[in-house]
Amino acid sequence: MTGRQYHRPMTPGEGFFDALVGAADPALVSEAADRAAQLLVRGARDSADAAIADRLVHLADTEGIEAIAEVWSGSPADSLAGCLWRLYLLRSWVYADPVGVSRQFEAGRRSAQVAQVVAGVADPPGPEQLKAMVDEVLRGLAGSDLADVLLRAAAFARVVATGRAVLSGSSEAEVQRMLVLSEQLEAAGHAELEQELA
């Protein structure tokens, strides 16, 4: 036993917690992500303006949606904000590497023929056709069928995951990442479909 004296812990003064600087409240960030997603999707559906769909598709290019997308990135996969994050991530990837995506899609479509049909990509699926397909899918956000958008994006991701598995040079982690994205979008699409039918 030591002869050390134990003291009662000191309680911080009144200004201690006020002086701490930290990140934004996670609950407020989540609420903002959900609100922005609701306004973007549901607001677009309620509008009679046909230009809304085109504006929605090109929002990342024209409005600088990176800040909102970063907020969406922390959202659960089954939330509307999480779905939008995954859709915009998919679109950004297709635009960043259309040739590579086209090669992966082409390799996967032989094995994942049903998913290829659901994805709705032109035959043959060149880089420009993939860009057009991903934009067409996102244009559906301004329409009435979010479930269709999610299921088509999921099918596209599944074909790409299959292509990655077939091609040399893709790691198992890359295949798995695309497969998880597909499964998340598909689950969200089925949940949206159930909600529409209820």
Side-chain angles (χ1 to χ4, degrees):
M1 187 87 82
T2 65
R4 184 172 170 195
Q5 292 286 332
Y6 288 96
H7 299 286
R8 200 170 172 208
M10 292 179 49
T11 56
E14 187 176 301
F16 177 79
F17 291 107
D18 294 335
L20 289 177
V21 178
D25 182 345
L28 292 177
V29 171
S30 178
E31 182 181 331
D34 289 340
R35 182 75 176 131
Q38 288 290 336
L39 288 172
L40 189 61
V41 173
R42 310 298 184 215
R45 284 185 190 172
D46 295 340
S47 173
D49 186 356
I52 292 287
D54 284 329
R55 193 159 168 236
L56 178 62
V57 168
H58 298 290
L59 193 61
D61 302 331
T62 61
E63 306 292 335
I65 198 168
E66 292 84 11
I68 294 173
E70 189 171 321
V71 172
W72 289 340
S73 71
S75 299
D78 61 349
S79 69
L80 183 57
C83 290
L84 289 182
W85 163 250
R86 283 153 182 80
L87 290 172
Y88 276 106
L89 187 66
L90 203 57
R91 181 181 187 267
S92 298
W93 174 61
V94 168
Y95 269 77
D97 186 16
V99 174
V101 175
S102 171
R103 190 172 58 83
Q104 292 175 10
F105 188 89
E106 176 63 29
R109 75 188 189 125
R110 290 183 208 103
S111 299
Q113 292 178 358
V114 173
Q116 181 233 334
V117 170
V118 174
V121 179
D123 192 10
E128 294 308 312
Q129 288 80 11
L130 285 176
K131 286 181 181 179
M133 183 280 306
V134 79
D135 282 350
E136 183 186 328
V137 167
L138 291 179
R139 216 170 254 111
L141 286 175
S144 60
D145 199 359
L146 178 60
D148 182 56
V149 170
L150 296 170
L151 293 173
R152 286 185 67 197
F156 173 77
R158 183 166 303 280
V159 173
V160 170
T162 304
R164 283 183 173 182
V166 170
L167 292 172
S168 61
S170 294
S171 70
E172 187 176 327
E174 290 173 318
V175 172
Q176 192 62 32
R177 201 171 20 247
M178 190 57 67
L179 195 55
V180 166
L181 176 66
S182 171
E183 289 168 353
Q184 290 171 337
L185 289 168
E186 186 175 358
H190 287 301
E192 181 70 21
L193 196 58
E194 287 175 14
Q195 188 176 17
E196 288 173 7
L197 295 175

